[in-house]
Amino acid sequence: MGGADAVTALRRLAPSGEVFAGELALSYAEDATPGMGGRAPLAIVRPGFREEVSAVLSFCNREGIGVIPRGAGTNLSGGVVATEDQVVLAMNGLARLVEIDEANLTATVEPGLVTAALHKAVEARGLFYPPDPGSMAVSTLGGNVAEGAGGLRGLKYGVTRDYILGLQVALADGQVVRLGGKTVKNVSGYDLLRLLVGSEGTLGVVTEIIVRLVPAPEARQAMLAVFATVDAAAAAVARVIAEKVVPATLELLDDVTIRAVEEYSHCGLPAAAAAVLLAEVDGMPEAVAREGERVKAAFRAEGARKVRVANDAGERDQIWTARRTAVSALARVRPTIMLEDATVPRSRVPEMVRAVGGIARRHRLAIGTFGHAGDGNLHPTILTDRRDLEEMKRAEAAVGEIFGVALELGGTLSGEHGIGLAKRPYMRAQFGEAGIEVHRRVKGALDPRGILNPGKVIPPRSLVSQR
Ligand SMILES: Cc1cc2nc3c(=O)[nH]c(=O)nc-3n(C[C@H](O)[C@H](O)[C@H](O)COP(=O)(O)OP(=O)(O)OC[C@H]3O[C@@H](n4cnc5c(N)ncnc54)[C@H](O)[C@@H]3O)c2cc1C
């Protein structure tokens, strides 16, 4: 079927939504991952009803047209990068907060709802949805589910996967299945719910989500500690954990990141520091006071030069603005950033930080390292310029080495950003050929014609690179 015919058919199948093609479609070629080289897709379909999602899938499955489910396009792994023969299913037309069920501590949402909108709605009822990706002001719940997104509060509260109780999913052929539900316990059948979370739009299209909520913490204490070396800061992270305190958040910023953030957002970071740790404890007021003291003591024991505790909401905001603006701030330093999220067991964070420093020196690159140090999920960010081909070669070699070190230390390619297209070449290094084959079989069982987010996550047989 030709492109124009497909667009006409799609308009008929999604009458309440929007369907467009041509120049407008160009802005759906790529996502927040730099340099992925996407093309304007065949068409964009923004369904207004779930039934339209099924109808579009059923049609595309029959015609063998690739479909890319898309939320806000903020992913950092090339997860929604398109080709000219694919249809983008823009899920942000399905963005209702269906219900907050206080008796069962759940919320039911459509996938296009913006993450921060859910936070706001449940917090107004004294409840809490902890997953908080840095992009939450724009990212969607559907995108969060499909990436298994993490965030700043992962250390104590876990990640999106830990809060998904139920999903409604449209399969590749348009059939709809319900997985899980509102029950706290549910072990019927295979754990298909968990299989779908983090499947990056390659196994089904999420059309409804039931999330678990928890009571909002009564008190919070945020603090910032300044260190003379990154090693000392990394050691302080290990000491906090060894002290058996689990802060909600424990974030590291290195010197490159501190300077970039301070220039960008003027939030009072010590521009000359080698590293800072940002931490927050939360819970009942008495526990917060006690745990706050223990975190401070652990920081001082590892040589913190200064520990500043936020005295009010304004100071707390300042601390978290520093962290939340890290990606945008680094993106201003050089034209291209390569932001990785290789993750190691948290006891290995000091080794990982040292290794990234060594890689930066060896390849003569500026790498800003920041991230969720408390859960071993760092974001070494290479500051480069994709027009400088020689530097890009060094940057790519550095990325390969960063992944290599993470795997050697017992870690993983991605803690929260997913594989998409960007990290696909490294999948064999983590899973081996047998592990990749398992991925292929699962994909083949759920999407036999290979129409869902084609080419993402699983390296093709022809891609023999062992990078
Ligand atoms: C500044 C910045 C900060 C960030 N901080 C974090 C962070 O702290 N933690 C973190 O984990 N990530 C972070 N990210 C990455 C990104 O925001 C997350 O991956 C987020 O979950 C993507 O959501 P999205 O709505 O933009 O999805 P998209 O980017 O549109 O899509 C992401 C994936 O989900 C699939 N998908 C989308 N909707 C559906 C659906 N309804 N059904 C099936 N599949 C679907 C897509 O096919 C794709 O594979 C950050 C990104 C930026 C730009």
Side-chain angles (χ1 to χ4, degrees):
M1 178 179 286
D5 291 344
V7 171
T8 309
L10 290 165
R11 287 209 171 104
R12 204 169 14 83
L13 293 165
S16 85
E18 281 177 83
V19 178
F20 53 93
E23 230 168 78
L24 276 178
L26 194 56
S27 50
Y28 289 76
E30 291 197 12
D31 50 39
T33 325
M36 297 306 298
R39 309 288 293 267
L42 178 70
I44 313 301
V45 183
R46 179 175 294 114
F49 291 108
R50 292 177 216 172
E51 294 73 16
E52 294 174 348
V53 173
S54 282
V56 169
L57 285 171
S58 161
F59 166 77
C60 290
N61 193 49
R62 220 172 32 247
E63 297 294 328
I65 299 173
V67 178
I68 305 178
R70 180 177 170 117
T74 66
N75 79 84
L76 296 166
S77 51
V80 293
V81 171
T83 57
E84 59 276 28
D85 53 354
Q86 297 173 337
V87 166
V88 168
L89 202 49
M91 297 301 289
N92 56 355
L94 295 171
R96 277 187 322 137
L97 172 52
V98 179
E99 132 186 283
I100 297 174
D101 180 343
E102 294 189 41
N104 285 307
L105 290 182
T106 62
T108 303
V109 304
E110 288 186 334
L113 185 70
V114 168
T115 317
L118 175 63
H119 287 153
K120 201 165 160 218
V122 301
E123 280 162 25
R125 310 256 195 117
L127 293 167
F128 190 36
Y129 174 68
D132 62 338
S135 51
M136 64 189 185
V138 279
S139 74
T140 66
L141 268 310
N144 295 168
V145 169
E147 293 290 4
L152 273 62
R153 299 191 278 240
L155 175 57
K156 174 169 173 180
Y157 289 102
V159 297
T160 303
R161 171 167 276 132
D162 303 308
Y163 291 86
I164 303 306
L165 284 179
L167 291 178
Q168 187 188 73
V169 179
L171 300 174
D173 61 3
Q175 288 191 77
V176 175
V177 290
R178 280 195 171 274
L179 308 172
K182 285 189 180 178
T183 61
V184 175
K185 294 179 173 178
N186 189 337
V187 293
S188 302
Y190 296 145
D191 197 347
L192 300 177
L193 185 76
R194 283 216 153 210
L195 178 64
L196 262 294
V197 178
S199 63
E200 303 190 28
T202 63
L203 300 181
V205 179
V206 173
T207 50
E208 189 177 272
I209 305 164
I210 301 174
V211 302
R212 183 167 74 86
L213 304 173
V214 295
E218 281 182 22
R220 295 184 162 108
Q221 186 183 95
M223 65 188 86
L224 177 154
V226 181
F227 291 87
T229 63
V230 183
D231 270 5
V237 169
R239 186 177 280 254
V240 169
I241 305 294
E243 289 289 328
K244 302 193 173 47
V245 184
V246 184
T249 306
L250 186 48
E251 299 284 311
L252 169 85
L253 307 185
D254 75 352
D255 55 346
V256 176
T257 315
I258 294 169
R259 282 197 294 277
V261 167
E262 198 40 34
E263 266 173 36
Y264 178 65
S265 58
H266 309 291
C267 45
L269 289 183
V276 297
L277 287 179
L278 313 176
E280 182 163 294
V281 286
D282 70 1
M284 301 300 277
E286 319 75 61
V288 166
R290 243 187 359 257
E291 289 187 350
E293 285 308 317
R294 284 168 69 188
V295 173
K296 272 186 271 178
F299 285 169
R300 292 204 175 102
E302 292 297 339
R305 288 183 163 174
K306 190 174 160 194
V307 182
R308 193 174 89 205
V309 174
N311 287 315
D312 53 38
E315 289 186 13
R316 175 175 178 263
D317 276 356
Q318 220 179 12
I319 288 180
W320 296 120
T321 301
R323 169 59 185 86
R324 291 195 189 283
T325 53
V327 179
S328 317
L330 287 169
R332 285 180 20 151
V333 178
R334 298 283 309 276
T336 308
I337 59 167
M338 296 166 77
L339 192 158
E340 300 307 336
D341 84 321
T343 301
V344 294
R346 53 192 164 207
S347 62
R348 315 297 297 265
V349 165
E351 287 160 88
M352 187 68 197
V353 168
R354 273 196 296 278
V356 171
I359 291 168
R361 281 190 296 279
R362 243 190 345 276
H363 291 284
R364 291 173 288 116
L365 291 165
I367 304 186
T369 294
F370 67 96
H372 322 297
D375 47 42
N377 180 201
L378 295 173
H379 295 311
T381 303
I382 303 176
L383 312 180
T384 179
D385 183 345
R386 72 170 118 153
R387 293 164 302 186
D388 182 341
L389 299 182
E390 189 275 326
E391 187 172 279
M392 282 305 285
K393 265 198 185 143
R394 284 186 275 128
E396 274 169 24
V399 169
E401 286 180 29
I402 290 170
F403 288 140
V405 174
L407 294 178
E408 262 167 41
L409 293 175
T412 179
L413 297 176
S414 174
E416 57 181 19
H417 293 167
I419 299 298
L421 277 186
K423 284 171 242 172
R424 202 180 61 158
Y426 306 96
M427 282 285 278
R428 272 196 190 83
Q430 177 159 348
F431 289 96
E433 195 49 46
I436 301 284
E437 193 49 38
V438 173
H439 279 77
R440 277 198 200 107
R441 285 189 207 158
V442 171
K443 169 81 174 163
L446 285 174
D447 179 18
R449 300 207 66 194
I451 64 148
L452 286 173
N453 214 357
K456 310 295 171 14
V457 183
I458 306 173
R461 288 200 166 82
S462 57
L463 192 65
V464 289
S465 162
Q466 298 284 335
R467 285 200 249 183

